Amino acid sequence: MFNSLSDRLQDTFGRLRGKGRLTEDDINVAMREIRMALLEADVNYRVVKGFVARCKEKCLTSEVMDSLTPAQNVVKIVLDELTVLLGSTDSKLTLAQNRTPNVIMLVGLQGSGKTTAAAKLAYLLKGQGHSPLLAACDTHRPAAADQLATLGGEIGVSVYRGDGVDAVAVASEAVREAVDHLNDLVIVDTAGRLQIDEEMMNEAVAIKRAVRPDQILMVLDAMGGQDIVNVVSEFATRVDFDGVIMSKLDGDARGGGALSVREVTGKPIKFVSMGEKPDSLEVFHPDRMAKRILGMGDVVGIIEQAEKVADEQQVADAERMLREGFTMDDLLSQMQQIKKMGGLQKIAGMIPGMERAMAQAPGAADEDQLVRIEAIIHSMTRGERVRPKTINGQRRRRIAAGSGRSVQEVNQLIKQWGEMNKMMGKMRGLTQQGAVGKKSRRAMQSMMRNMGMGGRR
């Protein structure tokens, strides 16, 4: 996510920090590099021009140039402007309090991830206590209704299909179905095309008139680049949507389209999709995303993810670890929590500097590594897991054979256990700093190698 842009910006700031006092030429060079980084990330050129101009004007003030830490001030200015570019404040989903059911209509081009986004949104709202109904109103794409029905079945949400011919009728009937079955939300999945055409627009307008949606959300593929600008402009004119769901954000190293949407249309990004799983749809926070782009992490996001999976037993386990030390069972528990929180890749983006460090450590983001380590731990006896120091050479060979892994991998895991307390201390220190330098990144790469996340398979 924004990997290329993030790397370029962090390199630019790194060079500024090495200069101490800054001259106007230093600012001009930095702004030129930022401009090129944004353009290469496929940000709309008009957006880039305005963004760089605002940053440059603020960076050249005497308060910045004459300060003791001008480089830090430049970083803060870029962070503030990037937050404004992304939307400044959170834009929550607005639902009517005096209407049941509320109707949310999704629009967008074919291939943008609209049907998947509908299911993910239903899953998110179901978790918030709502009772959603999915309406399969894409009557043009073969098997679209089947896809939605499959996704709905996986998350325990009903899908209304109707006759599968008249999209407007299906949408209207879905609202009546929701009333009859006490669903308080209807999520309407509409048809898309490979490109904007009159038939698609007319159908979207007709559905809007028929069901009077409380919210219209446009689903955009983050990999769409500058084409996003033309698409959102047309939909904004014809349908007047309320906000954006940015899909496939985890699969785009550039992500410039996401940075262009708010500036070009004035429409906020409300959700972002960061993976394939039902729980991968997240509420969009502009300030947090800006910090992640600049390599500052998202500590609040980590806390929120941890709170979702936390329970009383984990609190008791943490207290026990402080008293009695760290066991293999504790290591296994931590890995299972990482899975619940979205996996290594997702968590790495929230830790300052970690995403970049993982990119430089071969195999670091390999989710299968967790599976291999789990297999090794499960092949240990209860006593071995509690007291790993008792695992001698003969035991290591038995554990390796039982897990289908090599003795070298077992040795690597035991070494990891021995260093885990020290490694966690370093990680806490890095997270509290809020930014990571080259020395810290090297430390994290070393940590991941010791944890068996970048070694041989």
Side-chain angles (χ1 to χ4, degrees):
M1 179 184 64
F2 298 110
N3 292 341
S4 177
L5 175 60
S6 182
D7 287 346
R8 288 285 299 272
L9 293 177
Q10 289 181 61
D11 288 341
T12 299
F13 296 144
R15 285 189 287 272
L16 288 179
R17 292 189 187 99
K19 289 180 177 291
R21 295 278 183 172
L22 299 181
T23 66
E24 185 173 344
D25 286 342
D26 292 330
I27 297 296
N28 288 333
V29 170
M31 291 301 115
R32 190 181 309 120
E33 291 175 350
I34 291 173
R35 181 187 300 109
M36 290 304 300
L38 291 169
L39 290 173
E40 289 177 8
D42 220 4
V43 181
N44 180 267
Y45 74 94
R46 291 193 183 91
V47 175
V48 174
K49 183 178 180 181
F51 177 82
V52 172
R54 291 191 297 271
C55 288
K56 182 177 180 179
E57 181 181 358
K58 292 183 178 179
C59 287
L60 289 175
T61 62
S62 59
E63 290 183 4
V64 173
M65 301 296 286
D66 297 335
S67 68
L68 295 176
T69 57
Q72 292 180 13
N73 283 325
V74 171
V75 174
K76 184 179 185 305
I77 288 169
V78 174
L79 173 62
D80 291 344
E81 288 297 325
L82 191 57
T83 303
V84 171
L85 188 66
L86 289 168
S88 295
T89 58
D90 300 344
S91 180
K92 296 181 181 179
L93 188 66
T94 304
L95 300 175
Q97 300 298 317
N98 57 352
R99 180 188 180 189
T100 301
N102 274 244
V103 178
I104 302 171
M105 177 178 170
L106 303 189
V107 298
L109 293 183
Q110 184 175 318
S112 63
K114 199 163 56 279
T115 300
T116 306
K120 290 178 179 179
L121 182 59
Y123 181 84
L124 178 70
L125 294 172
K126 180 183 178 183
Q128 295 176 358
H130 293 285
S131 175
L133 173 69
L134 288 162
C137 297
D138 183 352
T139 58
H140 299 274
R141 181 168 63 91
D146 292 338
Q147 179 189 1
L148 191 63
T150 299
L151 293 171
E154 290 176 356
I155 62 175
V157 172
S158 299
V159 176
Y160 183 79
R161 304 176 62 155
D163 61 9
V165 177
D166 186 343
V168 179
V170 172
S172 299
E173 292 165 6
V175 174
R176 291 194 289 271
E177 179 82 359
V179 172
D180 293 341
H181 292 83
L182 302 179
N183 298 102
D184 63 343
L185 282 172
V186 177
I187 300 174
V188 179
D189 177 30
T190 63
R193 300 287 192 281
L194 293 177
Q195 58 186 10
I196 294 173
D197 64 23
E198 196 64 23
E199 181 184 3
M200 174 182 64
M201 284 299 181
N202 288 339
E203 183 175 273
V205 171
I207 292 175
K208 177 182 176 181
R209 288 172 179 166
V211 299
R212 295 182 294 110
D214 300 275
Q215 288 273 285
I216 300 177
L217 301 179
M218 182 169 185
V219 182
L220 289 172
D221 184 342
M223 293 183 280
Q226 294 207 34
D227 289 342
I228 284 178
V229 174
N230 297 327
V231 173
V232 295
S233 297
E234 183 67 21
F235 271 94
T237 301
R238 297 291 299 274
V239 185
D240 189 27
F241 59 92
D242 300 286
V244 169
I245 296 177
M246 189 64 66
S247 69
K248 308 177 188 177
L249 198 59
D250 57 314
D252 184 25
R254 297 180 301 171
L259 298 177
S260 305
V261 170
R262 180 62 182 255
E263 184 82 0
V264 171
T265 68
K267 305 295 184 180
I269 301 174
K270 298 204 172 191
F271 300 96
V272 290
S273 178
M274 308 285 283
E276 296 297 325
K277 296 180 180 179
D279 62 353
S280 62
L281 189 71
E282 303 176 5
V283 175
F284 182 70
H285 301 281
D287 55 338
R288 299 188 198 177
M289 185 61 69
K291 288 180 180 178
R292 290 178 68 171
I293 292 172
L294 297 186
M296 299 176 183
D298 179 11
V299 177
V300 176
I302 292 179
I303 294 171
E304 289 181 349
Q305 290 295 322
E307 287 176 342
K308 288 180 182 179
V309 300
D311 55 32
E312 292 182 4
Q313 182 59 47
Q314 290 167 24
V315 174
D317 287 343
E319 293 175 348
R320 177 187 50 74
M321 279 187 277
L322 290 175
R323 293 193 312 269
E324 303 173 9
F326 194 75
T327 70
M328 282 291 181
D329 284 327
D330 296 325
L331 176 56
L332 181 61
S333 176
Q334 296 304 312
M335 292 183 171
Q336 290 169 342
Q337 294 309 309
I338 289 174
K339 283 185 175 182
K340 290 181 181 180
M341 291 167 67
L344 284 172
Q345 193 68 50
K346 180 175 180 178
I347 299 304
M350 297 180 178
I351 299 174
M354 178 60 89
E355 194 166 40
R356 194 175 193 188
M358 288 183 73
Q360 297 171 4
D366 182 10
E367 299 288 345
D368 290 339
Q369 186 70 16
L370 298 183
V371 177
R372 291 189 283 272
I373 292 175
E374 284 182 0
I376 294 173
I377 296 176
H378 283 306
S379 295
M380 297 177 183
T381 66
R382 172 63 182 161
E384 289 169 344
R385 278 184 265 174
V386 175
R387 293 180 297 278
K389 288 183 179 180
T390 64
I391 303 176
N392 56 25
Q394 182 179 359
R395 289 172 182 260
R396 295 183 190 207
R397 288 191 292 274
R398 190 206 80 240
I399 292 167
S403 62
R405 310 312 306 173
S406 67
V407 174
Q408 181 184 8
E409 288 174 297
V410 176
N411 292 339
Q412 189 177 34
L413 177 59
I414 293 172
K415 179 182 178 182
Q416 172 190 350
W417 165 82
E419 297 185 4
M420 186 58 96
N421 283 331
K422 181 176 67 176
M423 294 301 105
M424 285 187 169
K426 288 183 179 180
M427 185 67 76
R428 283 194 295 271
L430 291 171
T431 303
Q432 290 167 359
Q433 288 175 16
V436 179
K438 291 182 179 179
K439 184 177 180 180
S440 299
R441 285 197 295 272
R442 285 197 297 270
M444 283 190 292
Q445 290 168 14
S446 175
M447 285 164 57
M448 288 184 293
R449 284 193 293 271
N450 289 332
M451 290 172 67
M453 296 179 182
R456 298 177 182 175
R457 298 186 180 183

